[in-house]
Amino acid sequence: MKTLVAISNEGLRELFWQEQVRSKLDRISDTDFVPIHETFTSERLAEVISGYDAVITSWGSPAFTPEVLANASRLQFIGHGAGSVVSIVKEDVFDTAVAVTSANRVLAQSTAECAVSLMLAGAWSLSGYNARLKQGHWSDNNRDTILGVTRRVIGLVGYGEISKQVIRLLKPFNVRILLHSSFCSIEEAEAAGVELCGLNELFEQSDIVSMHNTWTPRTEGMIGSQQLGRLRDGALFINTARGPIVQEEALLQELRQGRISAALDVYEQEPLPKEHELLTLPNALCLPHIGGYHGLLKRELCDFIVDELARLIKGEELLGRVTLDHYRRLTPR
């Protein structure tokens, strides 16, 4: 087995390839690393791919173009040390015998923790109380209350690895969870302890709504004034999925009224311009797309991929395998 690690970014190499991960890979494969800072293109990958059985990729790695696949006579495995594989492979890879896998289930744990953190921060008005305290204002025990999370109705839009982890993390709060998804059966919903419902119904009944579906042509702009206007007064809207899923102007209109609040990690335009209106609204908590930043979990992305390669060599099932059906539901970037 010979493996190419096609990750040339110095920061990612330092983060992912700790000594124990390198040693683990060396025990199962002869390994080459592309030079740090080299512009390693798809054209270059096409030139060298015939010498490798496996390729490990991450953010910024070259795409497996038809030319690459045409030369990949030995290739058995593409392991993506990140989330969506859409940036590196197209549907034609599924016409080959190459196994495609990703570390999405690891990254999902990080994003789920971020989403629940935003639920707690938003539901407890942490940024607002922090700002007012710094301005010299104390709380009013005779008047103040917060939304909170315990025993609230939480609406999740989309069902995948992230929302599965969110459901797990929310269990201790004794919440009622509503779910809108085309990819979750009634039996699976019952097993997870959630209630399937329509999109409008979810927005009407939830105290907190959290977005977890992928960004595709079908889901772009799916959340607009028709849904956001159904949120009850004081509700909290969370988005750690992708910004274009939500019609930003419709969200701004609701936030301007002060009727609801939002906690956001993703936006229609990224990086978010420093003069953007969202940054001026007291009822909008904004983060710079950090959902996948959990230190321990981020470091484990390529460790998971090395374990996947070991499973392939042993003839075991790949835990993060991407199928064509799954691929067609992935966020394009």
Side-chain angles (χ1 to χ4, degrees), residues 26-320:
D26 288 342
R27 287 194 293 271
I28 61 173
S29 174
D30 293 329
T31 307
D32 291 333
F33 287 80
V34 300
I36 290 177
H37 298 312
E38 178 179 304
T39 303
F40 194 78
T41 64
S42 295
E43 290 75 18
R44 179 60 180 149
L45 181 60
E47 293 174 358
V48 302
I49 191 67
S50 62
Y52 295 97
D53 305 285
V55 178
I56 296 177
T57 62
S58 188
W59 296 290
S61 293
F64 285 75
T65 61
E67 292 73 25
V68 174
L69 293 178
N71 294 339
S73 55
R74 289 173 51 179
L75 191 63
Q76 304 174 46
F77 176 90
I78 299 172
H80 192 50
S84 174
V85 300
V86 174
S87 64
I88 62 162
V89 297
K90 302 304 178 189
E91 289 193 11
D92 56 355
V93 76
F94 299 101
D95 294 328
T96 73
V98 178
V100 179
T101 188
S102 87
N104 184 55
R105 62 164 50 194
V106 178
L107 199 62
Q109 296 177 60
S110 179
T111 306
E113 186 172 317
C114 178
V116 174
S117 296
L118 287 176
M119 290 182 194
L120 288 164
W124 274 86
S125 301
L126 296 187
S127 62
Y129 276 109
N130 176 62
R132 289 190 290 275
L133 180 60
K134 289 181 177 180
Q135 294 169 0
H137 302 292
W138 197 251
S139 61
D140 185 347
N141 186 53
N142 295 324
R143 184 190 62 190
D144 289 1
T145 63
I146 51 87
L147 176 65
V149 173
T150 298
R151 301 206 328 255
R152 291 296 186 179
V153 179
I154 313 291
L156 305 181
V157 180
Y159 189 65
E161 290 294 336
I162 296 171
S163 51
K164 290 175 184 177
Q165 293 294 332
V166 168
I167 292 167
R168 178 182 63 82
L169 292 171
L170 287 174
K171 290 297 185 182
F173 293 95
N174 193 25
V175 294
R176 177 187 173 205
I177 299 178
L178 305 180
L179 173 67
H180 176 75
S181 172
S182 303
F183 303 102
C184 181
S185 66
I186 294 175
E187 294 75 18
E188 193 171 1
E190 289 177 350
V194 302
E195 304 172 34
L196 290 175
C197 68
L199 188 61
N200 290 341
E201 178 187 358
L202 181 144
F203 273 78
E204 289 172 353
Q205 295 190 22
S206 299
D207 299 297
I208 300 171
V209 171
S210 187
M211 301 299 300
H212 297 290
N213 50 347
T214 54
W215 170 31
T216 66
R218 185 179 64 85
T219 64
E220 184 165 330
M222 69 176 287
I223 304 301
S225 56
Q226 182 180 1
Q227 291 75 37
L228 296 167
R230 294 174 185 268
L231 287 171
R232 58 187 61 177
D233 291 353
L236 172 64
F237 180 77
I238 308 285
N239 191 3
T240 56
R242 285 294 188 273
I245 296 171
V246 181
Q247 297 173 31
E248 192 170 89
E249 182 56 34
L251 177 60
L252 282 167
Q253 288 179 4
E254 291 294 336
L255 291 172
R256 289 174 192 135
Q257 298 174 30
R259 195 179 64 81
I260 67 169
S261 60
L264 310 169
D265 189 42
V266 291
Y267 310 91
E268 192 172 278
Q269 179 183 352
E270 295 185 5
L272 190 66
K274 62 181 180 180
E275 69 278 3
H276 198 285
E277 184 180 357
L278 279 170
L279 299 176
T280 71
L281 296 171
N283 52 340
L285 169 60
C286 299
L287 299 178
H289 204 151
I290 64 169
Y293 281 18
H294 189 301
L296 291 176
L297 295 170
K298 195 172 185 180
R299 287 185 181 89
E300 291 174 359
L301 294 178
C302 282
D303 189 24
F304 176 85
I305 293 302
V306 172
D307 287 341
E308 287 281 83
L309 181 56
R311 282 187 275 272
L312 178 85
I313 293 170
K314 296 174 184 176
E316 298 174 356
E317 179 181 358
L318 300 183
L319 302 183

